[in-house]
Amino acid sequence: MSAPKIQFIDLAAQQRRIRPAIDAGIQRVLDHGKYIMGPEVQEFERDLCDFSGAKNAISCSNGTDALLMILMAKGIGPGDAVICPDFTFTATPEVIALLGATPVFCDVDDVTFNLDPDQLPAAVSAARAAGLVPRAVIAVDLFGLPAEYERIEQFAAEQDMWVLSDCAQGFGSSYGNRMAGQFGDATATSFFPAKPLGCYGDGGAVFTDDDELADVMRSIRVHGKGTDKYDNVRVGQNARLDTMQAAILIEKLKIFPDEIVARNAIAKRYEAGLSSIDGLVVPHVPEGSVSVWAQYTLRVDAGRRDSLAASLGEAGVPTAIYYPKPLHQQTAYEGYPCQEGGVPVSSRLAKEVLSLPMHPYLGESDQDYIIEQVRKFA
Ligand SMILES: *Cc1c(COP(=O)(O)O)cnc(C)c1O
């Protein structure tokens, strides 16, 4: 049997489905010529509000700038500590450090891969011991699964802190009766092509139910504008979403609900095929949450992970390791504090995680082949 051609994420399959609509959308932008803040930007923002149930959706240049806009609007700066998970993409702590504030790395839960609420007090203690004021928690919805917001929000409220949801991987997910966009005080997401909802370039958005915060972020998005961009009332960014990307996202958002269903069906099939294997743990979704499966990430007994990845690679099954190095071990972040007691789970996960191909167009026969190759190794 010859190996099928399997993509880790197949964006071309999605494009084949909606290419005429995408072409028409791009054509409309070329015709009206409003490349910056054109009508598609407002239309897409209304669509985002309808989809997420958030009161305000503000599109922007990318997920990193989305995080930055929220922190800037909240006035985060030197002397402030912002707690974030040690096991996430570098953009999460990067925006904290960019503003002169201090990221404090908190450990994660080895079942959900997300911030462990039990560790938050030890992270706050580390911040105070370093002479910093703990101001906020950034919870990350890693691999598409919402963090444990109820406990995180409750802890933050008790400590007079606020919560930012880094939902770059989790847009479309839900937690209880809340959709992504309604997590924390404000939510940031990314439309990087490989994210669950992606455009054909860079893009992002912020969400909040706080109208005042939303107005400040709309100002920050365009150079801290007052009445217009030549009236500058604060230091801001150039963080707009291109009209062209908005036109593309309008079409992609229409099929997104359908794709979330497909992603969940694929995750179920992986679970059925892989959950009984010794030395391998499949991801678990807590009761009440719906993941969008940005990644389908296994935990493999340390020491066997790299050989499994190699054997899958030889069989034509692409895999990825998110993330090979926890943040506190990265050169750029060596100088920043970890929670009291350290971050042992994050350090261990970096040696155990392995992500399998996951996208809404992964066919059953390809998936069966992937499952068979994993079982063969195990
Ligand atoms: C992708 C990602 C970001 C950054 O998004 P960009 O659009 O690439 O800037 C931030 N946080 C997390 C967790 C991400 O996965």
Side-chain angles (χ1 to χ4, degrees):
M1 169 169 156
S2 74
K5 269 241 159 321
I6 295 173
Q7 309 275 333
F8 189 68
I9 294 178
D10 192 350
L11 292 173
Q14 181 200 49
Q15 191 185 98
R16 282 194 291 276
R17 179 174 170 194
I18 51 169
R19 182 65 186 259
I22 298 265
D23 283 342
I26 292 172
Q27 201 66 52
R28 272 193 298 278
V29 177
L30 293 179
D31 287 344
H32 67 54
K34 298 188 181 76
Y35 305 120
I36 302 292
M37 297 300 271
E40 285 80 2
V41 173
Q42 285 86 54
E43 182 184 338
F44 177 56
E45 289 179 349
R46 283 193 299 273
D47 292 349
L48 284 178
C49 285
D50 289 346
F51 179 84
S52 66
K55 212 167 154 202
N56 298 279
I58 303 164
S59 63
C60 67
S61 38
N62 57 64
T64 308
D65 285 346
L67 291 166
L68 195 55
M69 276 166 71
I70 296 170
L71 294 179
M72 284 173 77
K74 287 282 199 179
I76 292 295
D80 294 337
V82 178
I83 294 163
C84 71
D86 185 54
F87 195 63
T88 173
F89 182 58
T90 182
T92 315
E94 185 175 41
V95 288
I96 305 166
L98 260 177
L99 291 174
T102 303
V104 176
F105 297 115
C106 188
D107 212 357
V108 295
D109 180 281
D110 68 355
V111 174
T112 63
F113 303 111
N114 281 331
L115 193 85
D116 181 353
D118 287 334
Q119 303 306 321
L120 284 170
V124 165
S125 303
R128 294 223 169 91
L132 302 162
V133 181
R135 294 278 312 277
V137 178
I138 303 184
V140 179
D141 306 319
L142 205 71
F143 307 146
L145 178 70
E148 226 179 296
Y149 284 101
E150 218 164 289
R151 292 186 59 203
I152 295 167
E153 287 164 345
Q154 192 188 339
F155 176 83
E158 284 163 12
Q159 300 287 321
D160 207 15
M161 295 164 75
W162 57 276
V163 177
L164 194 172
S165 161
D166 177 349
C167 197
Q169 300 180 14
F171 189 63
S173 67
S174 57
Y175 176 82
N177 55 9
R178 285 188 274 173
M179 290 281 290
Q182 300 180 54
F183 304 158
D185 294 75
T187 299
T189 199
S190 165
F191 303 124
F192 182 83
K195 308 284 179 175
L197 178 64
C199 54
Y200 291 146
D202 279 308
V206 296
F207 303 82
T208 184
D209 285 354
D210 178 340
D211 292 337
E212 220 169 293
L213 184 68
D215 282 343
V216 176
M217 292 195 289
R218 286 191 187 95
S219 163
I220 286 172
R221 174 170 64 174
V222 187
H223 303 291
K225 73 181 170 81
T227 47
D228 61 56
K229 74 171 163 177
Y230 304 108
D231 172 35
N232 311 113
V233 297
R234 57 175 60 79
V235 174
Q237 299 171 252
N238 173 6
R240 296 167 299 232
L241 178 71
D242 291 341
T243 308
M244 203 79 92
Q245 298 301 341
I248 291 158
L249 283 161
I250 287 168
E251 297 308 323
K252 289 210 187 192
L253 185 58
K254 288 179 187 163
I255 59 166
F256 191 43
D258 207 39
E259 292 184 335
I260 294 171
V261 172
R263 286 174 180 277
N264 276 283
I266 289 160
K268 276 237 138 52
R269 291 190 92 241
Y270 267 142
E271 187 176 337
L274 299 174
S275 61
S276 60
I277 300 176
D278 272 354
L280 198 148
V281 181
V282 297
H284 168 74
V285 175
E287 190 71 34
S289 290
V290 177
S291 176
V292 284
W293 301 103
Q295 304 296 340
Y296 191 88
T297 303
L298 304 172
R299 278 192 293 140
V300 187
D301 275 354
R304 298 190 73 202
R305 190 264 312 268
D306 292 342
S307 47
L308 174 58
S311 94
L312 289 174
E314 277 162 30
V317 176
T319 58
I321 293 170
Y322 303 113
Y323 295 92
K325 214 187 212 186
L327 287 167
H328 75 281
Q329 290 173 11
Q330 297 281 1
T331 309
Y333 298 103
E334 274 168 5
Y336 292 106
C338 286
Q339 68 162 91
E340 284 177 351
V343 286
V345 178
S346 167
S347 303
R348 173 162 57 79
L349 285 176
K351 299 190 179 83
E352 294 181 348
V353 287
L354 186 67
S355 300
L356 298 179
M358 169 52 87
H359 61 82
Y361 304 94
L362 183 62
E364 288 195 3
S365 61
D366 283 359
Q367 197 181 4
D368 288 342
Y369 176 81
I370 297 166
I371 290 168
E372 187 193 313
Q373 297 309 311
V374 176
R375 296 192 72 95
K376 208 186 267 175
F377 177 84

